[in-house]
Each structure stands twice: as C-alpha cells, then as structure tokens.
C-alpha cells in the first residue's frame, strides 16, 4: 500500500510554511518600500540585507546541531514564537524614532532565527516521509516558497499602499504566531541526547562527526553539495544580477516588462517543482548532469541574441525564454539534489548536513552576484562576452560531473 503524502505531520508543516512565508515575504517587501521612501537610497537597504545575511551564513551549522540535538517540533515552535515577538516589539517601538536602526535590528534578529529554522524544517521532512514521497514532499515545500515569492510582492504592495507599514507588521506577527500554533500539532519522535557534556564539547564533537561523515563515509554527498553551490553561484549571478541588468539597462526596457518577466520565471520555478512531484519515480541521478548542462546551453542563445539584428523586444523574448528554462531546471535540480542528500543521510546527522546545504548556497549567492555584477559592468556594451564564456564553463562542469552522477 502506497504511503500517503499529506500525512497529519506533513500537512501541518506545509500549512505552517504557507503562513510563515507569507508573513515573512510580505514583511520584507514592505520594509524595503518603507526604507526606500524614508532614505531614497537603494544602497542603504541593500546594505541592511547584506548585514542580515551574515548571521544566517555563520550560524546555520549551529542551527543544524540544534536540529539534531533538540526536539525539532519544539525548536520550530520556539523560533516562530520568537519571530512573532521580535516583530511585535519592533512594531511597538518603531513610532518612537530611529526607524532605520529598528528595521536593521529586526532584519538581523530574523536572520539569526532563520539560521536555526531552515535546517530544522528540512530535517523534519525525511522524518515524516520516505521513498518517492520524500521527493514529492520537497517539491511541495519548494512550490509553497515559489508561490509565496510570486504572490507576496503584489499582495505586499497593495496592503502597504492602502494601510502603511504598521498593519503589515501586525499581520506578520499574526502569521508567525499562527505558524507556531500549527506546529504544536506536529508529532515527531525524539531521542534525548546526552546533556552532561559542555556546549563547547558538543559543538566540537558534532562538527567532527558530520565532517567525517561527509569526507569519508559519503563523499558523494559532499561533491553534490559543492555542485549545488556552483548552480547557486551561476543562477545568482546570471538570473538575479544579469537578467535585470540586461532588461532594464542594456535593452532599456520598462519596469513593467521586467516585472512580467520576474512573474514568468516564478511560474517556471513552480512548474519545475511540480514536475518533480509528478515524475518522482522516473527521475534518476544522471538526469542532474543533463540539467546542469542545459543551464550552459541556455546561455548561448541569450548571448547570441545581442549580436542578432533584432530589436530590444526580440532580444527580451529570447532572454525571457532562456532564463525561464533555467529557472525551471534549477527548481528540478535543487529539489532532487536535496532529496538525494536527505535519503543518504542518517537521522542523527540530518540537521547538520542540511545546514551545510544552506551555508554553501548562501555563500555562493553573494559571490556570484559580486562577480557577475563586475563582469556586466565591464562588458556593458558587449554582454555576450559574459554570457557565452559562462555557458561554455557551465557545460564543461556539467560534462565533467556526468560520470559522478
């Protein structure tokens, strides 16, 4: 008899993720609009976001240790409760002044809490599901995240424009507290670990055990982590930095066309995770090599488009088609790669290994953004000198990794 995907535990987890992501994404969107209105500087908010990323990068491995040592349900409930309280306190003190400082502090606090929550949520999924349902479950979580990122900018702009920042903050408080209530109904087995050791000894031992596991017992997981980080680097560089630069600056097209393209790529990401859920039984590890190579192949038409005798709109259509394919493939790659890692990781190491996934991915993203930002500035009038070599490099990496997959 086939196991049901939406079990009691997984249903409450998904509903909690829906509430948490809607609250979190709407909050950050409204905060960005508020900071831009108050300061007139995009660089100030970019600096705040960069500062807020540091705790997540630095603390995620410790979040993995907590996820493996403590009751995961209780950890999620506590973190979402603290998130709600943090936003509530910020809401109360915001009218008294120092609003930019308060917003910066709130973003840092939410980043610290997120460093502990993300590995815990990912570690819960293989504890709830197994077999093909593990991949379908990861696909469902990715779909929720993709839909939230697609809907919340529109929803957030409506609420913020109509009611201002304070109601958005209170709405986020409700979302976080509601998530914590839903997570209270999750039932997960937990074996109490030895609490007699000092914290420093626990941290040292857990790092040693997890690194030994990745280095000697499952080196293929470590290789897959590094390849996933490379995917994150190229996607962050070309899609997050390159695509908006090419559409708005290189082609000089309107913000409406760029917004439509962002929505289209969001839909492509949702379709990618949906395909993983539908065709979980047919996917095999060697398919990841083909997906990796497809990222590089998509760079060729995108680069060649800037040498063709077509107008800006024609180039825009080519770019949009290629980057949508990239987003579709990236969604499949990340969902399947995480499922493979979870399936091959023992229960007592799940949180730590998943924290390494987030840490490597988050480290790769700013590197990709910085590198490609500099490259597109350098070759502003000849973007094909960035896109075509990138395509060759990605194809070469994909071909080299074919034997590994």
């Amino acid at each position: 008899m086939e196991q049901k995907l939406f079990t009691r535990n997984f249903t409450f987890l998904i509903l909690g993720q829906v509430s948490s992501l809607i609250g979190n994404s709407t909050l950050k969107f409204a905060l960005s609009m508020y900071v831009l209105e108050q300061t007139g500087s995009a660089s100030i908010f970019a600096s705040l976001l960069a500062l807020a990323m540091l705790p997540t990068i630095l603390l995620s491995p410790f979040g993995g240790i907590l996820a493996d040592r403590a009751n995961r349900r209780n950890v999620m409930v506590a973190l979402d409760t603290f998130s709600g309280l943090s936003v509530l306190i910020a809401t109360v003190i915001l009218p008294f002044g120092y609003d930019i400082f308060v917003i910066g502090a709130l973003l840092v606090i939410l980043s610290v809490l997120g460093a502990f929550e993300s590995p815990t949520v990912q570690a819960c999924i293989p504890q709830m599901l197994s077999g093909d349902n593990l991949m379908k479950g990861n696909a469902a979580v990715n779909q929720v995240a993709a839909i939230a990122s697609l809907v919340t900018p529109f929803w957030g702009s409506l609420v913020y424009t109509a009611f201002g920042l304070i109601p958005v903050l209170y709405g986020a408080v409700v979302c976080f507290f509601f998530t914590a209530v839903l997570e209270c109904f999750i039932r997960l087995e937990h074996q109490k670990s030895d609490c007699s050791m000092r914290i420093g000894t626990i941290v040292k031992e857990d790092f040693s055990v997890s690194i030994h596991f990745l280095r000697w017992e499952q080196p293929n997981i470590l290789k897959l982590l590094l390849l996933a980080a490379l995917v994150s680097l190229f996607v962050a560089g070309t899609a997050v930095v390159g695509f908006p630069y090419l559409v708005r600056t290189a082609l000089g097209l309107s913000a409406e066309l760029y917004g439509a393209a962002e929505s289209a790529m969001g839909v492509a990401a949702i379709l990618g995770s949906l395909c993983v859920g539908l065709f979980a039984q047919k996917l095999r590890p060697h398919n990841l090599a083909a997906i990796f190579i497809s990222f590089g192949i998509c760079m060729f038409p995108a680069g060649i488009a800037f040498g063709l005798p077509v107008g800006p709109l024609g180039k825009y259509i080519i770019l949009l088609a290629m980057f949508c394919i990239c987003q579709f493939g990236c969604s499949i790659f990340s969902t399947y790669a995480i499922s493979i890692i979870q399936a091959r990781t023992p229960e007592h190491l799940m949180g730590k290994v998943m924290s390494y996934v987030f840490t490597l991915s988050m480290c790769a993203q700013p590197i990709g953004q910085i590198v490609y930002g500099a490259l597109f500035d350098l070759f502003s009038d000849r973007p094909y000198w960035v896109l075509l070599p990138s395509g060759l490099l990605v194809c070469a990496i994909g071909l080299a990794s074919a034997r590994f997959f």
Side-chain angles (χ1 to χ4, degrees), residues 63-202:
I65 293 174
L66 181 66
D68 289 336
R69 289 276 179 177
N71 185 305
R72 290 169 184 163
R73 190 279 306 271
N74 293 346
V75 170
M76 290 190 296
V77 171
L79 291 172
D80 281 305
T81 301
F82 285 137
S83 296
L85 287 173
S86 300
V87 180
L88 181 60
I89 292 170
T91 307
V92 172
I93 64 176
L94 200 60
F96 293 98
Y98 302 102
D99 48 352
I100 303 302
F101 174 80
V102 172
I103 289 171
L106 176 61
L107 288 171
V108 170
I109 292 170
L110 292 176
S111 176
V112 170
L113 295 173
F116 289 90
E117 182 159 16
S118 295
T120 306
V121 172
Q122 286 295 333
C124 284
I125 298 173
Q127 195 174 353
M128 298 175 178
L129 305 171
S130 60
D132 290 335
N133 279 340
L134 177 59
M135 201 180 306
K136 293 177 182 177
N138 281 311
V141 171
N142 280 359
Q143 286 170 41
V144 168
I147 292 171
S149 65
L150 189 65
V151 172
T152 49
F154 174 73
W155 166 250
S157 63
L158 284 180
V159 176
Y160 178 80
T161 303
F163 304 107
L165 180 63
I166 298 300
V168 175
L169 291 170
Y170 280 120
V173 171
V174 172
C175 287
F176 283 126
F177 284 155
F178 182 61
T179 300
V181 171
L182 288 172
E183 289 164 345
C184 288
F185 293 97
I186 294 174
R187 298 287 180 264
L188 295 175
E189 292 184 6
H190 170 62
Q191 292 183 344
K192 291 186 177 181
S193 56
D194 182 12
C195 298
S196 61
M197 292 188 293
R198 294 166 56 186
I199 293 177
T201 305
I202 291 174

Side-chain angles (χ1 to χ4, degrees), residues 7-21:
T7 60
R8 169 196 170 94
N9 282 336
F10 188 65
T11 299
F12 280 119
L13 181 72
I14 285 290
L15 291 174
Q17 287 298 293
V18 171
S19 176
S20 179
L21 285 169

Side-chain angles (χ1 to χ4, degrees), residues 203-286:
V203 171
K204 183 178 179 181
E205 179 183 306
D206 281 13
F207 272 122
S208 176
V209 169
S210 57
I211 295 299
H212 181 272
F213 170 76
L214 291 173
R215 180 68 181 87
W216 300 107
E217 296 179 36
Q218 283 285 352
N220 285 340
I221 290 181
L222 181 59
K223 294 175 183 177
L224 187 54
L225 283 175
L226 294 174
L227 283 170
L230 276 176
V231 170
S232 182
L233 186 148
F234 284 110
V235 168
T238 56
V240 177
V241 174
F243 186 77
Y245 174 84
L246 293 172
V247 172
R248 297 285 285 132
T249 305
L251 297 180
L253 297 174
S254 67
E256 288 78 11
L257 283 175
Y258 171 64
E262 283 290 308
S263 297
M265 288 193 290
V267 171
I270 295 169
L271 291 175
S273 57
L274 185 62
C275 282
V276 174
L278 292 174
F279 304 107
Q281 294 180 335
K282 297 182 179 180
L283 285 173
R284 297 292 179 268
H286 67 264

